[in-house]
Coordinates of all heavy atoms in Angstrom, one line a residue:
M1 N -193.0 72.2 194.9 CA -193.1 70.9 194.3 C -191.8 70.5 193.7 O -191.5 69.3 193.8 CB -194.1 71.1 193.1 CG -194.3 69.9 192.3 SD -195.6 70.1 191.1 CE -195.2 68.8 190.0
F2 N -191.0 71.4 193.2 CA -189.7 71.0 192.6 C -188.6 70.8 193.7 O -187.6 70.1 193.4 CB -189.3 72.0 191.6 CG -190.1 72.0 190.3 CD1 -190.9 73.1 190.0 CD2 -190.1 70.9 189.5 CE1 -191.7 73.0 188.9 CE2 -190.8 70.9 188.3 CZ -191.7 71.9 188.0
A3 N -188.7 71.5 194.8 CA -187.7 71.5 195.8 C -187.4 70.0 196.3 O -186.2 69.6 196.4 CB -188.0 72.4 197.0
P4 N -188.4 69.2 196.6 CA -188.1 67.8 197.0 C -187.4 67.0 195.9 O -186.5 66.2 196.2 CB -189.5 67.3 197.4 CG -190.3 68.4 197.7 CD -189.8 69.5 196.8
A5 N -187.8 67.2 194.7 CA -187.2 66.5 193.6 C -185.8 66.9 193.4 O -184.9 66.1 193.2 CB -188.0 66.7 192.3
F6 N -185.5 68.2 193.5 CA -184.1 68.7 193.4 C -183.2 68.2 194.6 O -182.1 67.8 194.4 CB -184.0 70.2 193.4 CG -184.6 70.8 192.2 CD1 -185.2 72.1 192.2 CD2 -184.5 70.2 190.9 CE1 -185.7 72.6 191.0 CE2 -185.0 70.7 189.8 CZ -185.6 72.0 189.8
R7 N -183.8 68.2 195.8 CA -183.1 67.7 196.9 C -182.8 66.2 196.8 O -181.7 65.7 197.1 CB -183.9 67.9 198.2 CG -183.1 67.9 199.4 CD -183.8 68.4 200.6 NE -183.9 69.9 200.5 CZ -184.9 70.6 201.1 NH1 -185.8 70.0 201.8 NH2 -184.9 71.9 201.0
L8 N -183.8 65.4 196.3 CA -183.6 64.0 196.1 C -182.5 63.7 195.1 O -181.7 62.8 195.3 CB -184.9 63.3 195.8 CG -184.9 61.8 195.5 CD1 -184.5 61.1 196.8 CD2 -186.2 61.3 195.0
S9 N -182.6 64.4 194.0 CA -181.6 64.2 192.9 C -180.2 64.6 193.4 O -179.2 63.9 193.1 CB -181.9 65.0 191.7 OG -181.8 66.4 191.9
S10 N -180.1 65.6 194.3 CA -178.8 66.0 194.8 C -178.3 64.9 195.7 O -177.1 64.6 195.7 CB -178.9 67.3 195.6 OG -177.7 67.7 196.2
I11 N -179.1 64.3 196.6 CA -178.7 63.3 197.5 C -178.2 62.0 196.7 O -177.2 61.4 197.0 CB -179.8 62.9 198.5 CG1 -180.1 64.1 199.4 CG2 -179.6 61.6 199.2 CD1 -181.3 63.9 200.3
I12 N -179.0 61.7 195.7 CA -178.6 60.5 194.9 C -177.3 60.8 194.1 O -176.5 59.9 194.1 CB -179.8 60.2 193.9 CG1 -181.0 59.7 194.7 CG2 -179.3 59.2 192.8 CD1 -182.2 59.5 193.8
S13 N -177.1 61.9 193.6 CA -175.9 62.2 192.8 C -174.7 62.2 193.7 O -173.6 61.6 193.4 CB -176.0 63.5 192.1 OG -176.0 64.6 192.9
V14 N -174.8 62.7 194.9 CA -173.7 62.7 195.8 C -173.4 61.3 196.3 O -172.2 60.9 196.4 CB -173.9 63.7 197.0 CG1 -173.0 63.4 198.2 CG2 -173.9 65.1 196.6
T15 N -174.4 60.5 196.5 CA -174.2 59.1 196.9 C -173.5 58.3 195.9 O -172.6 57.6 196.1 CB -175.6 58.5 197.3 OG1 -176.2 59.3 198.3 CG2 -175.4 57.1 197.8
V16 N -174.0 58.5 194.6 CA -173.4 57.7 193.5 C -171.9 58.2 193.3 O -171.0 57.3 193.1 CB -174.2 57.9 192.2 CG1 -173.5 57.4 191.0 CG2 -175.5 57.2 192.4
A17 N -171.7 59.5 193.3 CA -170.3 60.0 193.1 C -169.4 59.5 194.2 O -168.2 59.1 194.0 CB -170.3 61.5 193.0
G18 N -169.8 59.6 195.5 CA -169.0 59.1 196.6 C -168.8 57.6 196.5 O -167.6 57.2 196.9
T19 N -169.7 56.8 196.1 CA -169.5 55.4 196.0 C -168.5 55.1 194.9 O -167.6 54.2 195.1 CB -170.9 54.7 195.6 OG1 -171.8 55.0 196.7 CG2 -170.7 53.2 195.5
I20 N -168.6 55.8 193.8 CA -167.7 55.5 192.7 C -166.2 55.9 193.1 O -165.3 55.1 192.9 CB -168.1 56.3 191.4 CG1 -169.3 55.7 190.8 CG2 -167.0 56.3 190.4 CD1 -169.9 56.5 189.7
V21 N -166.1 57.0 193.8 CA -164.7 57.4 194.2 C -164.2 56.5 195.3 O -163.0 56.1 195.2 CB -164.8 58.9 194.7 CG1 -163.5 59.3 195.4 CG2 -165.0 59.8 193.5
S22 N -165.0 56.1 196.2 CA -164.5 55.2 197.3 C -164.2 53.8 196.8 O -163.4 53.1 197.4 CB -165.6 55.1 198.4 OG -166.7 54.5 198.0
L23 N -164.8 53.3 195.7 CA -164.5 52.0 195.2 C -163.2 51.9 194.4 O -162.6 50.8 194.3 CB -165.7 51.5 194.3 CG -167.0 51.2 195.1 CD1 -168.0 50.8 194.1 CD2 -166.8 50.1 196.1
M24 N -162.7 53.0 193.9 CA -161.5 53.1 193.2 C -160.3 53.2 194.1 O -160.4 53.9 195.2 CB -161.5 54.2 192.2 CG -162.5 54.1 191.1 SD -162.3 55.5 190.1 CE -163.8 55.4 189.1
R25 N -159.2 52.5 193.8 CA -158.0 52.6 194.6 C -157.4 54.0 194.5 O -157.3 54.6 193.4 CB -157.0 51.6 194.2 CG -157.4 50.2 194.5 CD -156.2 49.2 194.3 NE -155.3 49.6 193.3 CZ -155.1 49.1 192.1 NH1 -155.9 48.0 191.8 NH2 -154.2 49.5 191.2
P26 N -156.9 54.6 195.6 CA -156.2 55.9 195.5 C -154.9 55.7 194.6 O -154.2 54.7 194.7 CB -155.8 56.2 196.9 CG -156.7 55.4 197.7 CD -157.0 54.2 197.0
G27 N -154.7 56.7 193.7 CA -153.5 56.6 192.9 C -153.7 55.8 191.6 O -152.8 55.8 190.8
H28 N -154.8 55.1 191.5 CA -155.0 54.3 190.3 C -155.3 55.2 189.1 O -156.1 56.1 189.2 CB -156.1 53.3 190.5 CG -156.3 52.3 189.4 ND1 -155.4 51.3 189.1 CD2 -157.3 52.3 188.4 CE1 -155.8 50.7 188.0 NE2 -157.0 51.2 187.6
R29 N -154.7 55.0 188.0 CA -154.9 55.8 186.8 C -155.5 54.9 185.7 O -155.2 53.7 185.5 CB -153.6 56.4 186.3 CG -152.9 57.3 187.3 CD -153.6 58.6 187.4 NE -153.0 59.4 188.3 CZ -153.6 60.5 188.7 NH1 -154.7 60.9 188.3 NH2 -153.0 61.3 189.6
F30 N -156.4 55.5 184.9 CA -157.0 54.9 183.7 C -156.5 55.5 182.4 O -156.9 56.6 182.1 CB -158.5 55.0 183.8 CG -159.1 54.4 185.0 CD1 -159.5 55.2 186.1 CD2 -159.4 53.1 185.1 CE1 -160.0 54.7 187.2 CE2 -159.9 52.5 186.3 CZ -160.3 53.4 187.3
P31 N -155.6 54.8 181.8 CA -155.1 55.4 180.5 C -156.1 55.1 179.4 O -156.5 53.9 179.1 CB -153.8 54.7 180.2 CG -153.9 53.4 181.0 CD -154.8 53.6 182.2
V32 N -156.5 56.1 178.7 CA -157.5 56.0 177.6 C -157.0 57.0 176.5 O -156.9 58.2 176.7 CB -158.9 56.4 178.0 CG1 -159.9 56.3 176.8 CG2 -159.4 55.5 179.1
A33 N -156.7 56.4 175.3 CA -156.3 57.2 174.1 C -155.2 58.2 174.4 O -155.2 59.3 174.0 CB -157.5 57.9 173.6
G34 N -154.2 57.7 175.2 CA -153.0 58.5 175.5 C -153.2 59.5 176.6 O -152.3 60.3 176.9
M35 N -154.4 59.5 177.2 CA -154.6 60.4 178.4 C -154.8 59.5 179.6 O -155.4 58.4 179.5 CB -155.9 61.3 178.1 CG -155.7 62.2 177.0 SD -157.2 63.3 176.8 CE -158.4 62.1 176.2
T36 N -154.4 60.0 180.7 CA -154.7 59.3 182.0 C -155.7 60.0 182.8 O -155.7 61.2 182.9 CB -153.4 59.2 182.8 OG1 -152.9 60.5 183.0 CG2 -152.3 58.3 182.0
F37 N -156.6 59.2 183.4 CA -157.7 59.7 184.2 C -157.6 59.1 185.6 O -157.4 57.9 185.8 CB -159.1 59.3 183.6 CG -159.3 60.0 182.3 CD1 -159.1 59.2 181.1 CD2 -159.8 61.3 182.2 CE1 -159.4 59.8 179.9 CE2 -160.0 61.8 181.0 CZ -159.8 61.1 179.8
G38 N -157.8 60.0 186.6 CA -157.7 59.6 188.0 C -159.2 59.4 188.5 O -160.1 59.4 187.7
R39 N -159.3 59.2 189.8 CA -160.6 59.0 190.4 C -161.5 60.1 190.2 O -162.7 59.9 189.9 CB -160.4 58.7 191.9 CG -159.6 57.5 192.2 CD -159.5 57.2 193.7 NE -159.5 58.4 194.6 CZ -159.7 58.3 195.9 NH1 -160.0 57.1 196.4 NH2 -159.7 59.4 196.6
I40 N -161.1 61.3 190.5 CA -162.0 62.5 190.4 C -162.2 62.8 188.9 O -163.3 63.3 188.6 CB -161.3 63.7 191.1 CG1 -161.0 63.3 192.6 CG2 -162.2 64.9 191.0 CD1 -162.2 62.9 193.4
D41 N -161.3 62.6 188.1 CA -161.4 62.8 186.6 C -162.6 62.0 186.1 O -163.3 62.4 185.2 CB -160.2 62.5 185.8 CG -159.0 63.4 186.3 OD1 -159.3 64.5 186.7 OD2 -157.9 62.9 186.2
V42 N -162.7 60.8 186.6 CA -163.8 59.9 186.1 C -165.2 60.5 186.5 O -166.1 60.4 185.6 CB -163.6 58.5 186.7 CG1 -164.8 57.6 186.4 CG2 -162.3 57.8 186.2
I43 N -165.3 61.1 187.6 CA -166.5 61.7 188.0 C -166.9 62.9 187.1 O -168.0 63.0 186.6 CB -166.5 62.2 189.5 CG1 -166.3 61.1 190.4 CG2 -167.7 63.0 189.8 CD1 -167.3 60.0 190.4
Y44 N -165.9 63.7 186.8 CA -166.1 64.8 185.9 C -166.4 64.3 184.4 O -167.3 64.9 183.8 CB -164.9 65.8 185.8 CG -164.8 66.6 187.1 CD1 -163.7 66.6 187.9 CD2 -165.9 67.5 187.4 CE1 -163.6 67.4 189.0 CE2 -165.8 68.3 188.5 CZ -164.7 68.3 189.3 OH -164.6 69.1 190.4
L45 N -165.7 63.3 184.0 CA -166.0 62.8 182.7 C -167.4 62.2 182.6 O -168.1 62.4 181.6 CB -164.9 61.7 182.4 CG -165.0 61.0 181.0 CD1 -164.7 62.0 179.9 CD2 -164.1 59.9 180.9
G46 N -167.8 61.5 183.6 CA -169.1 60.9 183.6 C -170.2 62.0 183.6 O -171.2 61.9 182.9
T47 N -170.0 63.1 184.4 CA -170.9 64.2 184.4 C -171.0 64.8 183.0 O -172.1 65.2 182.6 CB -170.4 65.2 185.4 OG1 -170.4 64.6 186.7 CG2 -171.4 66.4 185.5
G48 N -169.8 65.0 182.4 CA -169.8 65.6 181.0 C -170.6 64.7 180.0 O -171.3 65.2 179.2
V49 N -170.4 63.4 180.1 CA -171.1 62.5 179.2 C -172.6 62.6 179.5 O -173.4 62.6 178.5 CB -170.6 61.1 179.4 CG1 -171.5 60.1 178.7 CG2 -169.1 61.0 178.9
I50 N -173.0 62.7 180.7 CA -174.5 62.8 181.0 C -175.0 64.1 180.4 O -176.1 64.1 179.8 CB -174.7 62.7 182.5 CG1 -174.5 61.2 183.0 CG2 -176.1 63.1 182.9 CD1 -174.5 61.0 184.5
F51 N -174.3 65.2 180.6 CA -174.8 66.5 180.1 C -174.8 66.5 178.6 O -175.8 67.0 178.0 CB -173.9 67.6 180.6 CG -174.3 68.2 181.9 CD1 -173.5 67.9 183.0 CD2 -175.4 68.9 182.0 CE1 -173.9 68.5 184.2 CE2 -175.8 69.5 183.2 CZ -175.0 69.2 184.4
L52 N -173.8 65.9 178.0 CA -173.8 65.8 176.5 C -175.0 64.9 176.0 O -175.7 65.3 175.0 CB -172.5 65.2 176.0 CG -172.3 65.1 174.5 CD1 -172.2 66.4 173.9 CD2 -171.0 64.3 174.2
G53 N -175.2 63.8 176.7 CA -176.4 63.0 176.3 C -177.7 63.7 176.5 O -178.6 63.6 175.7
A54 N -177.8 64.5 177.6 CA -179.1 65.2 177.8 C -179.3 66.3 176.7 O -180.4 66.5 176.3 CB -179.1 65.9 179.2
G55 N -178.2 66.9 176.3 CA -178.3 67.9 175.3 C -178.7 67.3 173.9 O -179.5 67.9 173.2
M56 N -178.1 66.2 173.6 CA -178.4 65.5 172.4 C -179.9 65.1 172.4 O -180.6 65.2 171.4 CB -177.5 64.4 172.1 CG -176.0 64.8 171.9 SD -175.8 65.9 170.6 CE -176.0 64.9 169.2
Y57 N -180.3 64.6 173.5 CA -181.7 64.1 173.6 C -182.6 65.3 173.4 O -183.6 65.2 172.7 CB -182.0 63.5 175.0 CG -183.4 63.2 175.3 CD1 -184.0 62.0 174.7 CD2 -184.2 64.0 176.1 CE1 -185.3 61.7 174.9 CE2 -185.5 63.7 176.3 CZ -186.1 62.6 175.7 OH -187.4 62.3 175.9
A58 N -182.3 66.4 174.1 CA -183.2 67.6 173.9 C -183.1 68.1 172.5 O -184.2 68.6 171.9 CB -182.7 68.7 174.9
L59 N -182.0 68.1 171.8 CA -181.9 68.5 170.5 C -182.8 67.7 169.5 O -183.5 68.3 168.7 CB -180.4 68.4 170.0 CG -180.2 68.8 168.5 CD1 -180.3 70.3 168.3 CD2 -178.8 68.3 168.1
F60 N -182.7 66.4 169.7 CA -183.5 65.6 168.7 C -185.0 65.5 169.1 O -185.8 65.4 168.2 CB -182.9 64.2 168.6 CG -181.6 64.2 167.9 CD1 -180.4 63.8 168.6 CD2 -181.5 64.6 166.6 CE1 -179.2 63.8 167.9 CE2 -180.2 64.7 166.0 CZ -179.1 64.3 166.6
S61 N -185.3 65.5 170.4 CA -186.7 65.4 170.8 C -187.5 66.7 170.6 O -188.7 66.7 170.4 CB -186.8 64.9 172.2 OG -186.3 65.8 173.1
L62 N -186.8 67.8 170.7 CA -187.5 69.1 170.6 C -187.4 69.7 169.2 O -187.9 70.8 169.0 CB -186.9 70.1 171.6 CG -187.1 69.8 173.1 CD1 -186.4 70.8 174.0 CD2 -188.6 69.7 173.4
R63 N -186.8 69.0 168.3 CA -186.6 69.5 166.9 C -187.9 69.8 166.3 O -188.2 70.8 165.6 CB -185.8 68.6 166.1 CG -185.6 69.1 164.7 CD -184.6 68.2 164.0 NE -183.3 68.5 164.6 CZ -182.2 67.9 164.1 NH1 -182.2 67.0 163.2 NH2 -181.0 68.2 164.7
N64 N -188.9 68.8 166.4 CA -190.2 68.9 165.8 C -191.3 69.4 166.7 O -192.5 69.3 166.3 CB -190.5 67.6 165.2 CG -189.5 67.1 164.1 OD1 -189.0 68.0 163.4 ND2 -189.3 65.9 164.0
A65 N -190.9 69.9 167.8 CA -191.9 70.4 168.8 C -192.6 71.7 168.3 O -191.9 72.5 167.7 CB -191.3 70.6 170.2
A66 N -193.8 71.8 168.5 CA -194.5 73.0 168.1 C -194.2 74.1 169.1 O -194.2 73.9 170.3 CB -196.0 72.8 168.1
P67 N -194.0 75.3 168.7 CA -193.7 76.4 169.6 C -194.9 76.8 170.4 O -196.1 76.6 170.0 CB -193.3 77.6 168.7 CG -193.9 77.3 167.4 CD -193.9 75.8 167.3
S68 N -194.7 77.4 171.5 CA -195.9 77.7 172.4 C -196.6 78.9 171.7 O -196.1 79.6 170.9 CB -195.4 78.1 173.8 OG -194.7 79.3 173.7
L69 N -197.8 79.2 172.2 CA -198.6 80.2 171.6 C -198.0 81.6 171.8 O -198.0 82.5 171.0 CB -200.0 80.2 172.2 CG -201.0 81.2 171.7 CD1 -201.2 81.0 170.2 CD2 -202.3 81.1 172.4
H70 N -197.3 81.8 173.0 CA -196.7 83.1 173.3 C -195.5 83.3 172.3 O -195.4 84.4 171.8 CB -196.2 83.1 174.7 CG -195.5 84.3 175.2 ND1 -196.2 85.5 175.3 CD2 -194.2 84.6 175.4 CE1 -195.3 86.4 175.6 NE2 -194.1 85.9 175.7
V71 N -194.7 82.3 172.1 CA -193.6 82.5 171.2 C -194.1 82.7 169.8 O -193.5 83.5 169.0 CB -192.7 81.3 171.3 CG1 -191.6 81.3 170.2 CG2 -192.1 81.2 172.7
A72 N -195.1 82.0 169.3 CA -195.6 82.2 168.0 C -196.2 83.6 167.8 O -196.0 84.2 166.7 CB -196.7 81.1 167.7
R73 N -196.9 84.1 168.8 CA -197.4 85.5 168.7 C -196.3 86.5 168.6 O -196.4 87.4 167.9 CB -198.3 85.7 169.9 CG -199.7 86.1 169.5 CD -200.5 86.5 170.7 NE -201.1 85.3 171.3 CZ -201.3 85.3 172.6 NH1 -201.1 86.3 173.4 NH2 -201.8 84.2 173.2
R74 N -195.3 86.3 169.4 CA -194.1 87.3 169.4 C -193.4 87.2 168.1 O -192.9 88.2 167.6 CB -193.2 86.9 170.6 CG -192.2 88.0 170.8 CD -191.3 87.8 171.9 NE -191.6 86.7 172.8 CZ -190.7 86.0 173.4 NH1 -189.4 86.3 173.2 NH2 -191.0 85.0 174.1
A75 N -193.3 86.0 167.5 CA -192.6 85.9 166.2 C -193.3 86.6 165.0 O -192.7 87.0 164.1 CB -192.3 84.4 165.9
T76 N -194.6 86.6 165.1 CA -195.4 87.2 164.0 C -195.5 88.7 164.2 O -196.0 89.4 163.2 CB -196.8 86.6 163.9 OG1 -197.5 86.8 165.1 CG2 -196.7 85.1 163.5
R77 N -195.2 89.3 165.3 CA -195.4 90.7 165.6 C -194.2 91.4 164.9 O -193.1 90.9 164.8 CB -195.3 91.0 167.1 CG -195.7 92.4 167.4 CD -195.6 92.7 168.9 NE -196.1 91.6 169.7 CZ -195.8 91.4 171.0 NH1 -195.0 92.3 171.6 NH2 -196.3 90.4 171.7
S78 N -194.5 92.6 164.4 CA -193.4 93.4 163.8 C -192.4 93.9 164.8 O -192.8 94.3 165.9 CB -194.1 94.6 163.1 OG -193.1 95.5 162.6
P79 N -191.2 93.9 164.5 CA -190.1 94.4 165.4 C -190.3 95.9 165.7 O -189.7 96.3 166.7 CB -188.8 94.0 164.8 CG -189.1 93.8 163.3 CD -190.6 93.4 163.2
L80 N -190.9 96.6 164.9 CA -191.1 98.1 165.1 C -192.3 98.4 165.9 O -192.5 99.6 166.3 CB -191.2 98.8 163.7 CG -190.0 98.6 162.8 CD1 -190.2 99.3 161.5 CD2 -188.7 99.1 163.4
A81 N -193.1 97.4 166.2 CA -194.3 97.7 167.0 C -194.1 97.8 168.5 O -193.2 97.4 169.0 CB -195.4 96.6 166.8

């Protein structure tokens, strides 16, 4: 069930990354806050921003989530048992 979704997301991500890199001129640099970014750097920066956003979303959305029954049972058990 998950394999087709993983394959589709992989195809989409490669297509988007290839499109972004091909649309930028070779050798073009983007100066931001004293740092320069090239074509490939933009892909890595975008990936990092997406991962950071996903982590922040998980942090805030799972903060008030109830633990599963298995985790709750394990937490109440004595460590010496």
Side-chain angles (χ1 to χ4, degrees):
M1 176 175 165
F2 290 113
F6 291 148
R7 199 169 287 156
L8 179 64
S9 67
S10 177
I11 291 170
I12 290 172
S13 67
V14 168
T15 303
V16 169
T19 303
I20 290 172
V21 168
S22 68
L23 291 176
M24 294 181 193
R25 291 190 332 249
H28 186 71
R29 299 286 179 191
F30 301 99
V32 177
M35 296 182 289
T36 57
F37 296 99
R39 298 182 326 162
I40 306 301
D41 298 329
V42 170
I43 299 298
Y44 284 121
L45 182 66
T47 303
V49 168
I50 289 172
F51 274 108
L52 183 66
M56 296 302 288
Y57 174 77
L59 175 73
F60 291 118
S61 66
L62 295 176
R63 180 173 289 183
N64 297 325
S68 68
L69 184 59
H70 179 69
V71 173
R73 239 188 276 149
R74 190 174 356 142
T76 59
R77 192 182 319 160
S78 171
L80 301 176

